[in-house]
Amino acid sequence: GYANWMLLLAGGKSPGGQQGVIPSDGVAVFQQWNLKDEDGHWYPDPLVPLSGPIAVPCLENRVPGQQVQALYVDIWVPHRTPPGEYGGTLSLTANGVPPVDVPVSLTVWDFTLPDALGFVCEMNGYGYPKAESWEGALNLHRLAHRNRLNVNIVPYSHSGNWTVGPMGMEATGRGKDMRVASFDGFDRHFGPLLSGSAFVDNPRAGVPVPAFYLPLYENWPCKLADAFTFDQTAQHVDIREDFTQAYKDGFVAVCRSIAQHLDRKGYHGTSFQFFLNNKYQYAPEMTFWLLDEPMFRDDFLAIQFFGELARTGFKDCGQVTVDYRIDCSRVQEARGMMNTVDTMVFSQSNVREYGTIARNFMRSYLPKAPGGARNGWEYGGAGSVASQPIAPRGWALDAWLG
């Protein structure tokens, strides 16, 4: 794992007489870069890799009256490092003054963090930052991976466009004969994330991303407008009766096609997610319900319907893991209508207000009865740069404790 704020240049002697050395090539030094908020106050936010001398005040950052520059130091402690006390020296040199050596120490404990994440800290997003090439997107994943985080990008928009272009695969055929025409573009862009080959130079080398959105949603592979008709007579009390059979068959067939491909490629280390994110108020011609943050009965029934299709399509998917994920801030309204959801992502406030109901879903990483939610996550924000930095740590700990 990582030790922070320490630069260790040599090994020491661990208890029991064992010799251990923490290599200096695992050291990375970062400059805290300051940003100005809307009120004119300066706060450290991004960490910029530092590879050479630095001036104080920093001429590039241009903080008025700057007299102190903070540096952040990471050091990777290899898994097989014997436990014990390690010492080293931090050497500081500056123009016109004698060098200063500062002794530093590090305690290595007798346990090792596993390479595969047992607790997913996810950075959910709705599009990649602009970059000159796809390598820029991969670098975002590499940065998160290095810090035991996961970047997960919703690949579609409310309007039905692909926000992640390579996800826009062509689906051919109709009904039970519908298939994905080609996975070549998908594998070329996302295969390195799913095989782990994108991370060969990271400390957790070769470990694939823990969670990854699939391109499935209510308008792919089938178009909702062509497949659903509102019952104007109000004779149907359940909207699931108003979908065409071709839509249902096509959705299931493509789910099966995707599962078979993922299994053939050996993408077995990632939990794939079928995620519904759209709301009718943003594009009423594309989506008829609140599939994200459901509120009304028909919203929950629609979610239940898509879960039934997904469970049928992914029922026999070999060693591939596919979870049906829904974000919900009104768990008290579900009343059993979301029992096809595998990963329920609650808002922090909903968990606090309806803790007993939420905890029924929040038995994370424990087996649940068939049809029940297996995972319970919390979503929220890390706050502004002016907020207390301890808050995200407390949130993660609170979510872990359930």
Side-chain angles (χ1 to χ4, degrees):
Y2 278 114
N4 301 323
W5 297 98
M6 298 178 184
L7 180 60
L8 303 173
L9 302 179
K13 181 177 290 187
S14 63
Q18 293 178 302
Q19 294 293 328
V21 175
I22 300 175
S24 60
D25 59 6
V27 173
V29 183
F30 302 88
Q31 174 189 357
Q32 282 194 348
W33 197 265
N34 296 283
L35 299 176
K36 185 167 62 173
D37 68 10
E38 59 186 9
D39 297 322
H41 301 125
W42 291 84
Y43 293 93
D45 190 31
L47 297 176
V48 180
L50 187 65
S51 58
I54 184 172
V56 182
C58 177
L59 300 180
E60 293 83 5
N61 202 181
R62 300 180 181 179
V63 179
Q66 181 184 16
Q67 297 181 354
V68 175
Q69 173 64 62
L71 301 181
Y72 193 92
V73 182
D74 272 352
I75 179 167
W76 174 254
V77 181
H79 288 330
R80 298 184 182 276
T81 303
E85 297 295 326
Y86 290 76
T89 302
L90 170 63
S91 297
L92 303 174
T93 60
N95 294 334
V97 296
V100 176
D101 289 339
V102 180
V104 293
S105 63
L106 171 67
T107 300
V108 176
W109 298 102
D110 58 352
F111 64 89
T112 299
L113 291 175
D115 284 341
L117 300 183
F119 184 73
V120 179
C121 293
E122 182 172 278
M123 302 179 71
N124 181 76
Y126 300 94
Y128 287 103
K130 291 183 179 180
E132 294 181 359
S133 68
W134 184 248
E135 194 68 16
L138 294 181
N139 284 338
L140 177 63
H141 285 278
R142 291 181 180 117
L143 178 61
H145 189 277
R146 178 175 289 273
N147 290 280
R148 300 183 72 87
L149 304 171
N150 182 54
V151 170
N152 207 1
I153 304 295
V154 179
Y156 57 84
S157 68
H158 294 286
S159 59
N161 298 316
W162 295 106
T163 56
V164 181
M167 282 285 194
M169 297 178 287
E170 179 186 3
T172 61
R174 188 175 184 275
K176 294 181 179 180
D177 296 324
M178 184 170 277
R179 297 291 185 275
V180 175
S182 173
F183 287 96
D184 290 347
F186 179 92
D187 291 331
R188 186 168 60 254
H189 289 86
F190 306 109
L193 303 175
L194 306 176
S195 68
S197 64
F199 311 116
V200 292
D201 295 327
N202 271 15
R204 298 187 297 121
V207 177
V209 293
F212 184 84
Y213 288 130
L214 292 173
L216 293 163
Y217 73 116
E218 72 275 12
N219 279 300
W220 193 88
C222 310
K223 293 293 185 182
L224 190 60
D226 301 331
F228 181 83
T229 304
F230 282 103
D231 175 26
Q232 302 294 333
T233 65
Q235 294 179 356
H236 296 168
V237 296
D238 192 331
I239 61 168
R240 291 174 290 186
E241 301 177 42
D242 299 323
F243 287 85
T244 66
Q245 191 62 43
Y247 181 95
K248 293 184 280 189
D249 290 342
F251 199 97
V252 168
V254 168
C255 287
R256 189 168 292 123
S257 172
I258 291 174
Q260 291 170 351
H261 175 78
L262 299 177
D263 195 38
R264 283 195 300 268
K265 296 295 291 186
Y267 299 148
H268 299 147
T270 297
S271 174
F272 294 93
Q273 295 180 341
F274 163 39
F275 176 53
L276 296 177
N277 183 61
N278 287 340
K279 301 179 180 180
Y280 68 83
Q281 65 263 41
Y282 296 133
E285 72 283 1
M286 301 296 298
T287 299
F288 309 140
W289 309 282
L290 293 172
L291 300 177
D292 176 55
E293 309 294 357
M295 181 183 297
F296 306 107
R297 178 178 179 272
D298 283 358
D299 303 337
F300 290 103
L301 287 175
I303 288 171
Q304 185 85 340
F305 167 76
F306 284 106
E308 292 164 353
L309 296 184
R311 281 182 177 255
T312 301
F314 291 115
K315 181 172 59 175
D316 301 312
C317 54
Q319 300 181 59
V320 174
T321 299
V322 179
D323 285 337
Y324 181 32
R325 167 179 171 168
I326 292 294
D327 289 6
C328 179
S329 58
R330 300 178 184 88
V331 64
Q332 72 278 9
E333 303 293 341
R335 295 182 174 86
M337 290 184 286
M338 298 182 78
N339 60 9
T340 58
V341 175
D342 299 307
T343 297
M344 187 78 79
V345 186
F346 305 98
S347 68
Q348 289 176 278
S349 59
N350 197 221
V351 171
R352 303 300 181 271
E353 187 173 358
Y354 295 94
T356 301
I357 298 175
R359 277 191 290 273
N360 291 331
F361 292 91
M362 292 283 283
R363 300 295 184 262
S364 299
Y365 315 111
L366 296 178
K368 304 286 280 189
R374 293 199 301 269
N375 298 326
W377 292 7
E378 284 187 26
Y379 73 80
S384 68
V385 294
S387 62
Q388 291 295 326
I390 195 66
R393 299 183 184 184
W395 172 28
L397 180 61
D398 186 58
W400 171 259
L401 294 174

